[in-house]
Amino acid sequence: MTYQELKKLWLSYLAGKGHAIIPSASIVPENDPSTLFTVAGMQPLVPFLLGQKHPAGVRIANIQRCIRTNDIDEVGDDSHCTFFEMMGNWSLGDYFKKEKIAWSFEFLTSPKYLGIPVEKLHVTCFDGKDDNGREIAPRDTECAQFWEAQGVARDRIHFLPKSENWWAMGSGLGPQGPCSEMFFKSECKCDAKCKCNPAKNCGCFTELGNDVYMQYTAKEVGKIEPAKQRNVDTGWGLERILCFVNGYKSVYESEIFAPAIKLLGGDGRHARIIAEHTRAASMIVADGVIPSNTGAGYVLRRLIRRAVRTANANKIDGSIYEKLIKFYNTYLEFDAKTVIEVFTKEVNRFEQTLAKGLKEFEKVKGKLDGATAFHLYETYGFPIELTQEIATERGIKIDMDGFKVAQAEHSKASKAASAEAGAFKGGLADSGVETVRLHTAAHILLATLRKNFGADIIQKGANITPERLRFDFSLNRKLEPDEIEKVEKDVNQIIARKLDVIVKEMPLADARKIGATGTFSDRYGDVVKVYTIGDVSCEICGGPHVSNTKELGHFKIQKEESCGAGIRRIKAVLE
Ligand code: SER
């Protein structure tokens, strides 16, 4: 089955079941400064999963381009990719487990579709418990019964806990619920002691897809409540399925990578990394990102520079990228000319300093101090993750705390200047002083709304132009005129306190530990920026912000209106 055939098969099957086919959304989420990339097909649909009406109806399907960098170190194995396409379908408060399971079964086993022998099909269902054995929701026997009704024998249905069979976005917030994963069982070489199941990673099971039953929602991490609207959220990895149905051992043998591997002179871990990162970076550039030192631009830079370093170490010259990009363009839609231009510029920039930077490493014995790691970053353009990787290869330890101190000092010194020049990249649409001020005002507004109307209020979106701030948040009712006045007054009082706005970079887990909020902040292990405004607000955010609230002026709400079920919109300005 070819790549195009598989895509067509998926979409036509679901169209036949009444689904509207929608295009893939951008890889860079719109109006959501708190998340870098689209990581799942459901992400652009969150407002509709929460109850807003989708213009295409209640049955939706598509193939969504996604980026996940949490497993970047695994790239080079048989299946992990940072860029992948997700075959998805959604029920927005329409059909539920019974229908979805019947369709998944049909698509997997019917000779008209994937044709997997029923006895090779194993499925998982949620056992009701978290990973400490604590009950968090009912055991999903319903799901198991529907599989059984299709003919999946009971001993091929595995009940597993939350870590395996519960799906929520990385933040733990928003629509979520038990899921059911489908697996192909190959000939098993394990001994009896293994008691193989799909959670064991013993190599006997190949994951085919994931159907999530979003019957819960969480406004606070760990506090789930039944959702008003029960949805189905399906996500099947296109690359993996293509590889599986054609009997390939790795995705690099399939038509979407094999010609790239050939261009690189043959299969090997280094060739896989270069091929995969070039593909992912091309798709990020295609959706409008340029390499930079913050946000999505930084991840893009990391991918390109990692590819360049790997190519360089393996004596593959710089002419390879254009050839690879042209090949990917044979099946992925993008403007190849622009992608090649952006790519080449970044490759050249890095190649000029790569050799010099590597020389610095030669001098290091045992431990790389923080100042040197920062020097490599600042002067030679080595993303810190790349420095860590090279250090690991050479058995060198890095003083990461020292690196962070050096970085924080540097960012403090350059902050005022860069805010004034509007010289930041990424994050907001416009880089002017006005938008930076409104962005900080948005954080204060969210904190104020939470203080006045409940800590469960979450940001649903933000859009900032130099003229105004548009801010969407969850609330089930309209704000009264005196409440609007109170919000304005509170925000202005905070502004008048002349609070410092402080930024720190830290791993996502640490940010959560200190209680930083961030809607949809599924960064999956990346380093995030946390902006703190006095004792008022602490948010994960790409920035940029002013250094002190005294720079904001007078906050004025111009309009408060509904923008969908349970969502309000505030339009505000700084005078
Ligand atoms: N959201 C689920 C996933 O990403 C299913 O689409 O696996």
Side-chain angles (χ1 to χ4, degrees), residues 22-60:
I22 61 166
S24 169
S26 170
I27 239 174
V28 189
E30 283 157 32
N31 292 339
D32 185 359
S34 68
T35 182
L36 294 182
F37 294 108
T38 300
V39 300
M42 53 72 72
Q43 197 177 316
L45 295 169
V46 168
F48 309 104
L49 294 164
L50 289 170
Q52 238 184 80
K53 277 215 164 11
H54 195 291
V58 291
R59 297 183 180 195
I60 310 275

Side-chain angles (χ1 to χ4, degrees), residues 39-42 68 86 90 167 210-212 214 233-236:
V39 300
M42 53 72 72
R68 283 186 193 177
M86 192 178 262
W90 294 273
W167 205 89
N210 185 16
D211 293 344
V212 187
M214 297 190 149
D233 160 39
T234 285
W236 295 17

